[in-house]
Amino acid sequence: MPEISVIVPVYRAESFLRKCTESILSQTFSDLELLLVDDGSPDGSGALCDAIAREDSRVRVFHKENGGVSSARNLGLEEARGRYIAFADADDWLPPDGLALLHAALEKSGADTAGGAHFRVEPDGKSETEPGAMPAGVYGPEEIRTGLIDRLLGERMGKPDQVLNGFIWRFLYSRSIIRDNHITFAGAYLEDELFLLEYFCYSEKLAMIGQPVYYYLQNPASVTRRYLADYMQTFETFMQAKTALAEKHGLGENLPLWRENSNWSGLLIAIGNEFAGGNPATLAQKRQNVKAICARPEMARAIQAIQPQGLGRNKQMVADLVCKGHFFLLSLLYWYKNRNK
């Protein structure tokens, strides 16, 4: 049995899949299997997966009808044989020693999970090192609770040092924790955050290292960067799942405004989504849609309870305009921003 299973969902990845898989198969830590899950990709990605598998016996390929990234990862989890699980996205890649660094941290500390920093790569090739979810060190359940779980649950509006992105690919996970607690992915957006939130409720010991273990490409075609017509429905489902997890594990007792914080975060994304270039609605329709979203009871409560401060310049302007009800000015701001892209 391999020590590590690396799961890569594949969809419309024909132009960059080779770079991703070569970075995994050339790892200095070689006791691994690579699971390529072709999620009904309409291009040549499926055939490329098969070709890669013929070249290296550590590669296994699964073809399925299109069901989204969560269903692809879940199939990978069902089929994985490794003691540990790693994830990668098909448009990203790993440094040669990424898995070796994480595995060594596990072995040295006796932890069940390891995490590291990553490189954020811009489309022009420039890269910058982003710190890990926590500083280098070994952490127990209480530190995991305050350092990861509480931050994922999140009273974080205006607290940039408390924001924790749901990047699943910068950790090496225990397959037994995932399997024994039936942890899976759900949804097409924000699914990473829910997975991390639930997983770390069961993790007993986390080893963090300071070295980058992943290259994350800022892909302008990413699902997080295009207009999503069903965003509010997706976000509502996300909040229901997040609330259920909080109740199941007794989270949030020390974070009375976590729902309002989460809804504010979702609201800012919803506003940006409504004014995205891919939205075919007129500017006036977009403005009315944003007003309607802000009037939803859960969003109205968030706006009433919290007036965000300390956000980045653009987000702060949006939040201030929302708090003051200046939706016409808000629409002009986005019109000007999109016009000058």
Side-chain angles (χ1 to χ4, degrees):
M1 292 296 192
E3 183 75 353
I4 299 175
S5 296
V6 185
I7 298 171
V8 179
V10 178
Y11 185 78
R12 293 187 184 275
E14 191 174 9
S15 61
F16 37 76
L17 183 60
R18 276 282 182 186
K19 182 172 184 177
C20 174
T21 58
E22 287 175 0
S23 76
I24 295 168
L25 296 172
S26 62
Q27 288 289 297
T28 57
F29 186 93
S30 60
D31 186 11
L32 60 86
E33 65 171 354
L34 171 58
L35 281 65
L36 299 177
V37 184
D38 168 27
D39 188 32
S41 189
D43 63 0
S45 296
L48 180 56
C49 289
D50 292 333
I52 293 169
R54 287 193 293 270
E55 298 165 5
D56 194 311
S57 61
R58 295 175 296 169
V59 181
R60 293 194 289 145
V61 178
F62 304 90
H63 301 281
K64 61 184 285 295
E65 292 184 2
N66 180 251
V69 66
S70 288
S71 67
R73 287 176 179 153
N74 287 339
L75 177 56
L77 288 174
E78 291 173 11
E79 298 291 344
R81 300 168 179 166
R83 183 181 175 197
Y84 299 107
I85 300 289
F87 296 99
D89 291 338
D91 53 348
D92 300 333
W93 61 98
L94 280 62
D97 59 351
L99 293 179
L101 289 169
L102 291 172
H103 189 266
L106 287 175
E107 293 293 294
K108 181 178 179 180
S109 64
D112 51 52
T113 313
H118 70 276
F119 294 107
R120 178 170 54 83
V121 184
E122 299 298 333
D124 63 5
K126 294 180 181 177
S127 65
E128 190 172 324
T129 302
E130 296 281 351
M134 294 175 71
V138 180
Y139 302 97
E142 287 304 313
E143 295 161 311
I144 292 172
R145 175 83 175 242
T146 57
L148 289 180
I149 296 171
D150 284 354
R151 289 169 63 199
L152 286 166
L153 196 63
E155 288 193 354
R156 54 192 179 184
M157 293 307 299
K159 301 176 183 177
D161 60 322
Q162 291 300 306
V163 173
L164 182 59
N165 291 309
F167 297 145
I168 62 163
W169 30 252
R170 56 183 175 178
F171 294 100
L172 189 58
Y173 305 88
S174 163
R175 184 165 71 95
S176 63
I177 288 179
I178 296 171
R179 181 191 61 230
D180 295 347
N181 296 289
H182 311 289
I183 303 171
T184 58
F185 291 89
Y189 193 66
L190 299 169
E191 74 288 343
D192 294 4
E193 185 172 318
L194 291 175
F195 180 90
L196 288 176
L197 183 61
E198 184 166 19
Y199 178 88
F200 280 111
C201 286
Y202 296 105
S203 174
E204 293 289 329
K205 197 172 187 180
L206 168 66
M208 291 295 305
I209 61 174
Q211 300 98 317
V213 297
Y214 195 86
Y215 284 95
Y216 173 40
L217 177 64
Q218 302 292 285
N219 186 348
S222 167
V223 68
T224 59
R225 293 168 179 260
R226 63 175 185 262
Y227 172 63
L228 301 172
D230 61 348
Y231 171 77
M232 283 309 301
Q233 180 180 350
T234 300
F235 182 73
E236 185 176 302
T237 302
F238 163 77
M239 282 300 296
Q240 290 170 352
K242 193 173 185 180
T243 300
L245 279 176
E247 292 175 352
K248 177 181 178 181
H249 294 282
L251 310 178
E253 296 172 358
N254 58 327
L255 301 169
L257 293 177
W258 75 261
R259 290 177 182 83
E260 288 77 8
N261 274 267
S262 295
N263 280 319
W264 250 116
S265 296
L267 176 59
L268 291 174
I269 297 172
I271 292 170
N273 182 60
E274 280 299 322
F275 287 110
N279 185 352
T282 66
L283 188 63
Q285 288 172 330
K286 293 176 182 178
R287 181 167 62 247
Q288 290 304 314
N289 290 344
V290 168
K291 287 180 68 174
I293 292 170
C294 291
R296 293 166 67 109
E298 69 277 14
M299 297 303 184
R301 282 194 296 271
I303 294 169
Q304 182 67 30
I306 302 170
Q307 293 190 355
Q309 298 296 325
L311 304 179
R313 179 173 176 270
N314 291 339
K315 283 187 178 181
Q316 189 65 59
M317 291 175 64
V318 171
D320 290 345
L321 290 171
V322 167
C323 287
K324 295 174 182 177
H326 293 334
F327 295 104
F328 181 74
L329 291 177
L330 181 65
S331 64
L332 288 182
L333 173 68
Y334 273 97
W335 172 81
Y336 181 78
K337 176 184 174 183
N338 291 335
R339 182 185 177 208
N340 289 275
K341 276 187 176 180

